[in-house]
Amino acid sequence: MKAPPETGFFSTPLARQGNIIFSGVQQQDYSAMIWLKRRDRLERSQQKCIAVFALVCCFAVLVALIFSAVDVWGEDEDGVTEENCSKNCRIVLVENIPGELSFNPNSSTHLPLAMGLNHLLDQAKLSVEIVSPYWALTSTDQGSRLYSSYQGQYLFQRLLSLKSRGVKLKIVSDQPNSIELKSMSDRYAEVRYVNMTALTRGRLLSSFWVVDRKHIYIGSAGMNWKALSKLKELGVVVYDCSCLALDLHRIFSFYWQLQYRDYIPSIWSKRVTAVFSRDEPLQLRLNNTDASAYVSTSPELFCPKGRSRDLDAIRHVIREAKRFIYISVTDYLPLVNRSFRGSPIIRYWSPIDEMLREAAVLREVKVRLLISLWTRTHPLTFNFMTSMQALCTGLPFCSIEVRFYRGKEHMGGFQHRINENKFMVTDNTAYIGNLDWVGSELAFNAGAGLVIQEPENQREGQDSIVQQLTAAFERDWFSPYTISLLSGSTTLQESQHGSQKLQALKTKPESREHE
Ligand SMILES: *[C@@H]1O[C@H](CO)[C@@H](O)[C@H](O)[C@H]1NC(C)=O
Ligand SMILES: *[C@@H]1O[C@H](CO)[C@@H](O)[C@H](O)[C@H]1NC(C)=O
Ligand SMILES: *[C@@H]1O[C@H](CO)[C@@H](O)[C@H](O)[C@H]1NC(C)=O
Ligand SMILES: *[C@@H]1O[C@H](CO)[C@@H](O)[C@H](O)[C@H]1NC(C)=O
Ligand SMILES: *[C@@H]1O[C@H](CO)[C@@H](O)[C@H](O)[C@H]1NC(C)=O
């Protein structure tokens, strides 16, 4: 048979081969084992390496993130903390009443704004920090007489003369092209710019001073010579109040840190977060009267942890009113206008409207709105205000009244002597802000506000800030410069500008222009 030798022939070498293969395999196994062990070790040390590397990477990324997202270098706060800041303060109402306006001689007069600001500069020993929507103290428009611009010129010179006293001057603005700011920074001031276009596409309309982290001014007037002569402005100066100044200074620091940024960092250092808020207001003494106070800001994006929004402050003040709510603003319009892919989108913006309606109809709180009638008054203001007034029809205890403030009898110059006031006063609280009550303004523009609440029993027989503001409001309300809603509407329609605007409204929905 051929087969066995064949198998035999094949079997021997196969066995040998098998042996060789076997030992080969054994060897391979062995070396594989060693290799595996080595690889194991290698892998482990590699893993260690990778882990360490990853950790280092993470750390580096974290550090980078922290440095980019957090404002690490907060401003020095001169050792004042919320525990030992001063709470025994003095408050003074400051106003600019254009010379041509004459009110009832019996009505109270307050410290002129220009004097208040100059007095603040007298007090300054270390630093003056200013935020203002405009810088036009020295500009003289056509038709302005030397005298009316004098106060602005003087204030400008006094700000520059801080240098000789070694007082720091810091300014934040969103106007990089301002000639006046350029000249100020060339001569002395430290100026920083906030690019509001990149942040919210709004404007920096905040208007306040912090002097020595101790005294403050906040109000409707910016650094404009007209605000010291031709426009009707209102604000407050608070002296010896490092607690409030500390909080307002933090808002200033927040703006200060926004230079060169085109986004709002998500994490902030303690140096810019709120000290006091709506839920935890500062308990203080104002002219020997107990009061509570806090500052609020807009827009929401600019409210770091704990900071109260202007809108929430306003809503809270309205909600807490028991007997009356008096509001004096240049513009009131419950609309938000945002451009979306090039075309404007306008929405009804109800938060303040609904609070006022609720207060008047359900709680029978008397509401009075004093709005300016001027070239930029949006025609829809009349519609919204008419609907507001109509709400009380047939309700005996409901009262909503709207009036327009118009500085001049004649139509020709009615953009002058505008009432720029931006405040609200109720039977127990005052709110003094920087922004008009227009949806777009509160949603996108930066502003600040001061809320001062005074307990009822404290105010008996005392001339408190709430009472002073109430008196100022009533003086304006009953002055010859106010007109009813209806005649305001007719006036605007008669004016050329108004009819143009109305025409534009009929053809396409238009919204409020920003300055
Ligand atoms: C407030 O307290 C801080 C530290 O707690 C201290 O450094 C500072 O000097 C104090 N300031 C005043 C005005 O007492
Ligand atoms: C001013 O007050 C006096 C007395 O207090 C009063 O006689 C006078 O009528 C008042 N004037 C006006 C314009 O109200
Ligand atoms: C502000 O930001 C906008 C948009 O990011 C940019 O176009 C503009 O140039 C910036 N302005 C300045 C003065 O840097
Ligand atoms: C508001 O609307 C006008 C046109 O109606 C537009 O020019 C303007 O850019 C809008 N404003 C905003 C903030 O979108
Ligand atoms: C507080 O006192 C100052 C003088 O110390 C005074 O000028 C001011 O009118 C007072 N303010 C109020 C609200 O009474």
Side-chain angles (χ1 to χ4, degrees), residues 28-204:
Q28 264 176 12
D29 247 19
Y30 181 68
S31 52
M33 246 161 64
I34 291 172
W35 185 76
L36 273 176
K37 268 189 199 159
R38 275 211 202 124
R39 208 180 64 169
D40 226 31
R41 252 185 267 152
L42 205 73
E43 260 180 9
R44 249 183 257 148
S45 59
Q46 259 178 355
Q47 273 168 355
K48 263 188 218 159
C49 257
I50 289 169
V52 168
F53 183 71
L55 270 175
V56 168
C57 276
C58 276
F59 187 70
V61 166
L62 210 71
V63 166
L65 266 180
I66 285 171
F67 273 79
S68 69
V70 182
D71 127 72
V72 180
W73 319 112
E75 288 284 305
D76 183 24
E77 281 177 350
D78 295 337
V80 175
T81 63
E82 39 194 297
E83 279 81 34
N84 64 9
C85 57
S86 74
K87 301 181 173 81
N88 201 351
C89 320
R90 264 182 316 124
I91 187 163
V92 180
L93 193 62
V94 288
E95 273 194 291
N96 187 61
I97 307 283
E100 300 90 342
L101 295 184
S102 60
F103 289 101
N104 182 339
N106 288 358
S107 61
S108 52
T109 51
H110 302 110
L111 189 70
L113 174 67
M115 267 172 81
L117 293 180
N118 279 305
H119 190 237
L120 269 180
L121 289 182
D122 293 339
Q123 310 277 312
K125 290 188 181 65
L126 304 167
S127 64
V128 175
E129 297 165 330
I130 303 178
V131 196
S132 165
Y134 319 99
W135 280 89
L137 288 173
T138 56
S139 353
T140 45
D141 279 9
Q142 70 287 358
S144 76
R145 265 178 266 117
L146 205 64
Y147 176 72
S148 52
S149 58
Y150 165 76
Q151 289 290 359
Q153 290 274 6
Y154 182 65
L155 191 63
F156 182 74
Q157 294 304 332
R158 287 218 56 195
L159 284 173
L160 286 177
S161 75
L162 288 174
K163 183 180 184 179
S164 62
R165 288 156 52 194
V167 178
K168 272 193 208 160
L169 176 58
K170 290 179 166 185
I171 296 168
V172 177
S173 165
D174 69 338
Q175 306 280 290
N177 301 322
S178 158
I179 296 162
E180 194 163 301
L181 274 183
K182 177 91 180 43
S183 106
M184 285 198 119
S185 72
D186 285 349
R187 287 153 85 176
Y188 183 53
E190 242 184 295
V191 181
R192 287 201 177 177
Y193 296 102
V194 178
N195 189 342
M196 288 297 291
T197 316
L199 296 171
T200 66
R201 279 190 258 157
R203 283 229 33 218
L204 183 65

Side-chain angles (χ1 to χ4, degrees), residues 90-93 287 463-466 468:
R90 264 182 316 124
I91 187 163
V92 180
L93 193 62
N287 281 28
D463 197 16
S464 72
I465 190 72
V466 169
Q468 284 189 8

